[in-house]
């Protein structure tokens, strides 16, 4: 079977989704896997029928393997930069999970390497493939809301809430994750805003940690939490629209609730992952007469993350693929949120203040 030969790095929880998505596209073959966890490497190696010589503890050796055409990286945040650096140096195209890096300081050297030697790269901002968000982008581009004046984006999950007594995992470990809800879910909100409205110009933000310590299953003790449970910020976009954002992983009752409302001079739209194949469009049908329509998303807006990854590897043009520079720009906004919260002031995005 012809197809792109994939090396998988990071064999933890999310990897099974990626294995499923790769299989669903049909034109990929996983030929190597890497993880420092021996049992995870053995289990996935057996699952995929990989020979021993294609099971790597060291991801650098997988990236260097001539049988690997492209890399899919599904690791915790603190390894993202090193994997992208190795892919860039080896000229290996890649799909890397979000957020781009653990902290912004890791992003600058990557950009320097990329500018020296660009390599096709995709970042896992998967909500660009939520049909309702992609259709919202089409309606906005077609001017169906008129001048966009304001918007709100929220991304709520409930798994970190107090009643769950959620144990201390890597997503709460600042040395691994950098930030908490901000980098995990906030990076998706930021990418959705860039996907729909373009670049950020300025923002003011606040971060909060609601649960100051969590039980560590490894020691039976409690660990002080240094990352955020909640983030809110307001932003002015370069195109003039203003937006408000909030995200929490402590929102009791929320599963995976990512949604946007857009308010223009000629109409309003609402789109949510809770109803991914439809969106609500409200407009004035006649003077003083509002029409509220529930629109079914057309098939042309139902593309997939791995369909675009395949197109990228085949050199086929795509629309709205989240690439290396989308990852870098996203990290700039994450850094602006951190700076604004720390300095208790509004900050410009991307420019040194
Ligand atoms: C967090 O719970 C998480 O798994 C994120 O890390 C993913 O990016 C998001 O798509 C689903 O929720």
């Amino acid at each position: 079977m012809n197809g792109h030969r994939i090396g998988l790095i990071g064999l933890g929880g999310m990897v099974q989704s990626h294995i499923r998505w790769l299989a669903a596209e049909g034109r990929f073959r996983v030929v190597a896997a890497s993880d420092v966890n021996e049992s995870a490497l053995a289990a996935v190696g057996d699952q995929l029928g990989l020979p021993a010589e294609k099971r790597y503890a060291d991801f650098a050796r997988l990236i260097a393997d001539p049988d690997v055409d492209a890399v899919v990286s599904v690791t915790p945040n603190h390894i993202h930069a090193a994997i992208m650096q190795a892919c860039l140096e080896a000229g290996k195209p890649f799909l890397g999970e979000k957020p781009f890096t653990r902290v912004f300081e890791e992003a600058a050297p990557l950009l320097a390497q990329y500018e020296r030697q660009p390599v096709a790269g995709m970042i896992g901002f998967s909500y660009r493939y939520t049909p309702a968000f992609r259709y919202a982008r089409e309606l906005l581009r077609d001017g169906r809301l008129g001048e966009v004046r304001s918007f709100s984006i929220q991304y709520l999950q409930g798994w970190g809430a107090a009643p769950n007594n959620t144990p201390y995992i890597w997503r709460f470990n600042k040395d691994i994750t950098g930030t908490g809800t901000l980098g995990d879910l906030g990076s998706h909100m930021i990418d959705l805003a860039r996907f729909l409205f373009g670049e950020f110009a300025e923002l003011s933000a606040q971060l909060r940690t609601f649960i100051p310590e969590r039980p560590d299953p490894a020691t039976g003790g409690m660990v002080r939490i240094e990352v955020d449970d909640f983030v809110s910020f307001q932003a002015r976009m370069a195109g003039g629209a203003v937006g408000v954002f909030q995200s929490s992983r402590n929102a009791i009752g929320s599963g995976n609730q990512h949604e946007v409302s857009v308010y223009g001079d000629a109409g309003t739209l609402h789109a949510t992952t809770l109803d991914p194949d439809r969106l609500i469009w409200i407009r004035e049908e006649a003077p003083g007469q509002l029409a509220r329509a529930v629109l079914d998303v057309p098939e042309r807006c139902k593309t997939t993350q791995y369909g675009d990854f395949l197109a990228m590897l085949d050199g086929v043009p795509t629309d709205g693929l989240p690439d290396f520079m989308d990852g870098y720009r996203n990290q700039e906004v994450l850094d602006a949120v951190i700076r604004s919260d720390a300095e208790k002031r509004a900050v410009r995005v991307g420019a040194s203040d």
Side-chain angles (χ1 to χ4, degrees), residues 4-11 15 18 22 28-35 56 58-75 79-97 119-124 305-306 309-310 312-313:
H4 298 281
R5 299 171 300 174
I6 299 298
L8 265 182
I9 303 174
L11 307 179
V15 79
H18 285 267
L22 282 160
F28 297 106
R29 186 158 47 93
V30 179
V31 297
S34 173
D35 199 300
Y56 295 101
D58 175 2
F59 67 75
R61 294 183 57 230
L62 175 145
I63 293 169
D65 186 331
D67 291 340
V68 171
D69 299 321
V71 172
V72 171
S73 162
V74 191
T75 70
I79 319 176
H80 289 184
I83 289 169
M84 281 192 282
Q85 182 72 27
C87 289
L88 291 171
E89 289 172 356
K92 288 277 171 88
F94 61 89
L95 166 58
E97 262 298 355
V119 171
M122 187 172 179
I123 306 300
Q305 177 176 272
Y306 271 93
F309 185 51
L310 179 63
M312 184 186 89
L313 297 180

Side-chain angles (χ1 to χ4, degrees), residues 77-78 98-99 101-104 169-187 207 209 225-231 249 331 334-335 337-339:
N77 303 353
H78 64 309
K98 41 51 69 178
T101 53
R102 187 180 69 85
V103 291
F104 185 59
I169 55 175
W170 71 265
R171 292 183 186 279
F172 298 121
N173 180 339
K174 186 170 186 171
D175 292 337
I176 293 178
T177 188
T179 58
T181 299
L182 173 61
D184 191 14
L185 306 187
S187 60
L207 295 166
T209 301
I225 301 303
E226 299 178 290
V227 297
D228 53 287
D229 292 315
F230 169 88
V231 58
R249 296 183 299 195
Q331 204 68 37
L334 291 172
D335 184 60
V337 168
I338 294 165
R339 286 187 290 122

Side-chain angles (χ1 to χ4, degrees), residues 14 98 126-127 155 157 159 171 184-185 188 256:
M14 279 298 285
K98 41 51 69 178
S126 51
Y127 295 102
Y155 191 171
Q157 294 182 346
W159 59 268
R171 292 183 186 279
D184 191 14
L185 306 187
H188 281 305
N256 197 42

Side-chain angles (χ1 to χ4, degrees), residues 133 153 188-197 258-260:
F133 293 162
I153 293 179
H188 281 305
M189 294 198 297
I190 288 163
D191 185 68
L192 179 57
R194 292 189 65 252
F195 187 54
L196 297 179
F197 312 113
H258 192 189
E259 47 206 17
V260 59

